[in-house]
Structures are given as structure tokens and as C-alpha cells.
Amino acid sequence: MAFDGSARSLWAWGTVDRFPDEAARRRLAGMARMLTGGAEAALLPLPRDDDARVPPARVSPPPALAALASTDPHDRALHAHGRAYPDLVRGFRGDFAAAPDLVLRPASADAVAACLDWCAGARVACVPYGGGTSVVGGVEVAADRRGDFAGVACLDLERLDGLREVDLVSLAVRAGAGTRGPALERALAEHGLTLRHYPQSFEHSTLGGWIATRAGGHFATGPTHIDDFVEAITAVTPRGVVATRRLPASGAGPAPERLWIGSEGALGVITEAWMRVQKKPRFRAAASVKFRKTLDGATAARALAQSGLRPANCRLLDPAECLLHQVALDGTAVLLVGFESVDHDQGPALARALELCRDHGGVVASGPTVSDDGDGAAALGGGAGEAATWKKAFVDAPYLQSALVSIGVMADTFETSCTWDRFETFHAAVTAAAQDALKRTVGGGLVSCRFTHVYPDGPAPYYTFIGPARVGDELAVWREVKAAVSEARHVNGGTITHHPAVGRTHRPWYDRERPALFGDVLRAAKRELDPAGVLNPGVLVD
Ligand SMILES: Cc1cc2nc3c(=O)[nH]c(=O)nc-3n(C[C@H](O)[C@H](O)[C@H](O)COP(=O)(O)OP(=O)(O)OC[C@H]3O[C@@H](n4cnc5c(N)ncnc54)[C@H](O)[C@@H]3O)c2cc1C
């Protein structure tokens, strides 16, 4: 199958036409040399789709499912990996050994049930697949588990899409699980509504994927996690259908829908959901504030998080992060602050927020800008100056990561959260672990940090590390760095993941983080819902 310009790349983030061209890759190589302390970065030849190595399929679809099934090697390769750094590297090398044996595309809940029936009966592992943007090995059965099954089926939910019902009185909508971010927001915009959930992967990820991974959107406070928006879900399990009741809130025992929020395809297939939506905000106010010390910026962010002001944006960038995104080059840390509302002027809230920042040594660098019909720029950080620069960098970052792979540079991120009382020692330990691991493996590199979210009791720090890749041995290096930073997060009291889920990559640390008895409860739920153990084996529990 040939790609046209807007087709999804077989190995890189996003679509083929958005992959940086040769001139952009050359510029990036120059910048990478600067960031990694002068290490060489060379343009490697780009892979060709025809060179993708896909193993022969081990199973064929039964006649009853033939109309939903594809065994085309290119289609299977497209569904082999998520989009984490090791996925990009393997794809770049043409290594699609992890490709599923077939791709099933059910268009109804009944068809999902038929797929699950066949998988359970034929002992075929079944991996629910939304947009395939997992960064934790969530859509790939591990090589050492594949032999336990007659085959692996990818259950691509793209046909379960679209806005199905709008309740303008309660401000809630019913939508198919396979609906991607842009399609959902376009459909909601026709009613003047928004879900207001923007993960960085928004362009290609799906509603069902967000729910299954407990995704985090990019507003710093207030409703931003997908958990906040789910009103009710419908999930098809090998034991039958679960449809929870639409309620604004309930005290009736543990909430049933919560079992599937974060279930990562291990407990059933989410086919649709009722989601709480909002009218589109129109009042906005934003500014950026510089701090000479990152820790002063952190104290200001804490003051904002505990003030009751609830800024939509409260994103602290440390000096390395500012350099990386060209937001500030003078060695300062920058706090991007933004507010928005559907109902009232945000100027007074911003004014009070800036007072708090000044109390902690902040100097306003740009803004305040206040508007009552903004174009959405404040959603991710305001419409001008540092905030606008940062927003563009944020949207382009996934494309740049793929381009870095193509010039022999390792670039990846990890994120977490911890309580404010331990932040200073936590941050120092995690940063040191990342820097030590880079030094040990590739001679050094850059480690940066920003806050993606701030809560009254703690921040969600998000780290980026960049270093020269040892071409041919990239995966071993990455595994060593990843293990070091995961261990540091765990032993210093943080979580192994604040938003992109557990998957297979984070399992060893998740197993240690969750209470043992809770692990037993999850295993019991898995046994009850998926007695044949075919649903996404290896994620969450065994
Ligand atoms: C560049 C980049 C940026 C990212 N930024 C963010 C971010 O800001 N916030 C964030 O939270 N995450 C982020 N992620 C991670 C990822 O995008 C999220 O985990 C996202 O929610 C996955 O959605 P998806 O539709 O792509 O799901 P997939 O990747 O297809 O699947 C993810 C997991 O969910 C399961 N699953 C998918 N759909 C269903 C369903 N309908 N029913 C049951 N199980 C299902 C899969 O089996 C798998 O375990 C990012 C990833 C990338 C590559």
C-alpha cells in the first residue's frame, strides 16, 4: 500500500507530509550538537515503506469476521507499535516483528463482542487500539508472551466514531470511542461546545484511548484529566456488556465507570461514552513571568495552586526547557500563566496571580493580555511572547522527536507527580539520576524540566532528556536511562506515571507502587471479566 502525503507515517509521529524536510533536519542537527555538548549528529537515510520487515501472519480470520479483517502486511505494520522512542527507533530500522497477525475493524458493539468471542475461543490475544499513540508499549504484546497465544489480533476501533447524541440541557454528549481529538472538537464546535481535553497527542489519539489510559489534558488546574469529564461509559467485555448510568455524581458505592477509566484494554473494550462538555470559553487573560531561580518559580506555582484562583495555565519552564523551546535564552525560568472563562472577565484573576508571582521574586516578562473573544491561544499558554513561542514548540515537539531519531539523537520524556513537601529533594534526585545515566551511557546530554500541572498538594514535573544515540545500540541505552529515572521516581516518592499510563514499560514500577492487595483485586476483576486472559495480556496485571 503506498502512502499519499497525508497518510500516517509507518514509523514516525503523525502524517508523512508533516515530517521535517532535509533542510529542517540539517538545522536540527546543528541545534542538537549544541544541546548535547558538541556530539556529532548526522542525517541518516530515511527508511522506505517497502523495506519494512513484517513476519508472516500466524492466524487467519474466521469467515464470520472476514469482512472486518485485514491481513495486509502494511496495515499490520502500521499497528505494530505505539509512538514511544523505542517504537520510533524500531520503525526507523524497518523492524516490525511486533506486528499483529491481523487487524479487525468492528463497526458496532455487537461486532466487538463477536471479535472477543472468536479471540477467546481461538486463544488469540486481542489488543484494543485507538490512535496507537501509546508511549508505554500499550498496543504491542511483548515478544516473550506472543508464544502463549495462537496469534495476536489488533482491534482497531476507528469505525466506532462520531458524535452520537448531544444533551444541551445537561451539557453532556455521547460519542464513539474511536473518535479522534480533532473530529470530536469539530463536531462539538457546531454546538458551541468543547470537551476542553487537549493531550499533546490530541491530533491522533481517541476518546476511548484517553479513557482507557486516564489521559491528562494540558490545562494546569481545574477539570483537565479525562476522569473529570467521563459521565458514563459502555464497555464490551468477554463476559458481556457494561453500561453505566448517566449521573452528575453519586455516592452509591465505588463508581463502576472508574474500573474502566485507566483499564488499558485489559478489562474490556470501551465502545462509547457520555462526556461532560462545556461552552467554549471566550474571556482570557495571560502573562509570562521570569524567575532567576527555578525553585522560586516552583514556590510561586505552589502559591497559585493553593490560592483558589485555578489558572488554566501555570506552566513553569526551567532554563534548559526555555532554551530547548527558544522561550528565553538568558538562563531564567519562565512561568506561563493563563486564565479563561465562558462567563466573566479574567483580568482581576490574572492581576492577583501576578501579585503572587512578584511576592516570590517573579518579574513580568510579557503581558498581561486580556481578551473577551480569544482564539484559543490562551488554552495552551496565551497568545503572545514567550507563551506563543512555547505553544508552537509544544505542538511541533512530537515531529521533532522523530526527526531527531533520523539524525542519530536520542530524545525522550518522562513525567510524574509528587507532593510539594518533597519536591525539592525529589527534583534534585531525579535530575541527577537522568544526568548520571546519560553520562554513563553516552557521555552526557541535556535534562530539562517543566510543570505540566499543579495541584494544591503537589506539582506534575515533566522531564525531557536528550543525548547522542549509540546508533545500532539505541534501545539498550534508552532502557538503561529509563530504568534509572523510573527507579529514582519510585524511591523518592513520586508516581511512575502522571498521565501516559502504565502499559508494559512502567509495569515493574507500577507493581511496586500499587498496594499488593489492590493488585489482587485487579487480578480478580481481570479473571472475572476476561476468563480466557486474551485481552491485552501484559498490561496492568497478569
Ligand atoms: C507525542 C505524544 C504526546 C503525548 N501526550 C500525552 C498527553 O499530553 N497526555 C496523555 O495523557 N498522554 C499523552 N500521550 C500518550 C497517549 O497519547 C495517550 O495515552 C492516549 O490517551 C492514547 O490514546 P490512543 O487513542 O492513541 O490509544 P492507543 O495508543 O491506541 O491505546 C492506548 C491503550 O489504551 C487501550 N485502548 C485504546 N482504546 C481503547 C478502547 N476503546 N477500549 C479499551 N482500551 C482501549 C489500548 O489497548 C492501550 O492499552 C502522548 C503520546 C505521544 C506519542
Side-chain angles (χ1 to χ4, degrees), residues 250-452:
S250 165
E257 68 278 3
R258 292 212 67 98
L259 188 59
W260 281 271
I261 303 178
S263 58
E264 302 196 19
L267 303 179
V269 180
I270 299 155
T271 52
E272 64 173 28
W274 272 97
M275 304 298 295
R276 302 183 178 107
V277 291
Q278 305 163 56
K279 293 182 183 154
K280 272 192 158 315
R282 59 175 274 229
F283 295 93
R284 296 194 164 88
S288 57
V289 185
K290 286 189 172 180
F291 292 87
R292 285 202 311 117
K293 292 189 192 145
T294 305
L295 287 179
D296 289 345
T299 311
R302 172 159 67 89
L304 280 174
Q306 294 176 344
S307 66
L309 285 168
R310 308 238 290 179
N313 199 18
C314 185
R315 191 174 302 267
L316 179 66
L317 314 176
D318 79 356
E321 190 78 10
C322 289
L323 172 71
L324 201 55
H325 299 299
Q326 303 285 294
V327 166
L329 308 177
D330 56 2
T332 53
V334 171
L335 183 66
L336 307 174
V337 189
F339 288 86
E340 54 179 52
S341 162
V342 67
D343 179 71
H344 52 273
D345 176 22
Q346 294 297 288
L350 180 64
R352 176 65 191 134
L354 294 181
E355 269 173 20
L356 288 171
C357 289
R358 286 189 198 99
D359 288 349
H360 294 92
V363 175
V364 177
S366 69
T369 54
V370 180
S371 68
D372 71 356
D373 61 353
D375 63 357
L380 293 173
E386 291 78 5
T389 310
W390 185 84
K391 184 187 165 197
K392 183 170 178 336
F394 177 76
V395 172
D396 290 345
Y399 287 97
L400 290 182
Q401 186 196 20
S402 301
L404 285 168
V405 168
S406 81
I407 57 171
V409 173
M410 170 175 69
D412 203 5
T413 60
F414 61 95
E415 38 62 65
T416 182
S417 73
C418 67
T419 47
W420 287 114
D421 63 316
R422 64 174 88 213
F423 170 68
E424 193 173 336
T425 45
F426 177 90
H427 177 60
V430 170
T431 306
Q435 280 164 344
D436 287 352
L438 285 173
K439 201 161 181 26
R440 211 169 42 242
T441 51
V442 291
L446 176 130
V447 179
S448 69
C449 177
R450 64 181 187 243
F451 287 174
T452 56

Side-chain angles (χ1 to χ4, degrees), residues 13 83 128-135 138-139 157 177 199-201 205-206 208-210 212-213 215-216 218 264-265 268-270 398 499-500 536:
W13 172 253
R83 283 296 178 268
Y129 184 101
T133 65
S134 170
V135 282
V139 291
L157 301 163
Q200 192 179 24
S201 55
S205 53
T206 64
W210 299 338
T213 59
H218 274 274
E264 302 196 19
V269 180
I270 299 155
H499 50 271
N536 212 3

Side-chain angles (χ1 to χ4, degrees), residues 83-262:
R83 283 296 178 268
Y85 175 75
D87 305 330
L88 302 175
V89 169
R90 286 179 299 160
F92 189 75
R93 291 177 184 167
D95 173 0
F96 292 93
D101 297 287
L102 72 168
V103 180
L104 297 167
R105 290 186 171 85
S108 66
D110 285 349
V112 170
C115 293
L116 293 184
D117 264 3
W118 173 67
C119 287
R123 191 128 190 89
V124 169
C126 177
V127 181
Y129 184 101
T133 65
S134 170
V135 282
V136 290
V139 291
E140 170 190 345
V141 176
D144 63 351
R145 294 294 311 274
R146 295 168 82 85
D148 299 346
F149 299 90
V152 174
C154 170
L155 200 66
D156 186 331
L157 301 163
E158 68 179 4
R159 290 185 182 158
L160 293 176
D161 67 337
L163 190 58
R164 297 170 176 182
E165 211 172 326
V166 178
D167 174 353
L168 282 173
V169 177
S170 322
L171 286 185
V173 301
R174 184 165 64 91
T179 317
R180 289 183 186 223
L184 184 60
E185 282 298 321
R186 267 196 307 275
L188 290 175
E190 287 178 22
H191 303 273
L193 300 173
T194 176
L195 181 63
R196 206 170 167 275
H197 177 73
Y198 298 105
Q200 192 179 24
S201 55
F202 171 79
E203 208 181 336
H204 297 286
S205 53
T206 64
L207 176 64
W210 299 338
I211 298 173
T213 59
R214 282 185 79 187
H218 274 274
F219 292 103
T221 72
T224 186
H225 289 270
I226 202 70
D227 315 33
D228 303 322
F229 305 120
V230 174
E231 187 181 73
I233 58 129
T234 301
V236 177
T237 79
R239 287 283 312 280
V241 177
V242 177
T244 68
R245 181 178 287 218
R246 282 189 62 199
L247 291 169
S250 165
E257 68 278 3
R258 292 212 67 98
L259 188 59
W260 281 271
I261 303 178

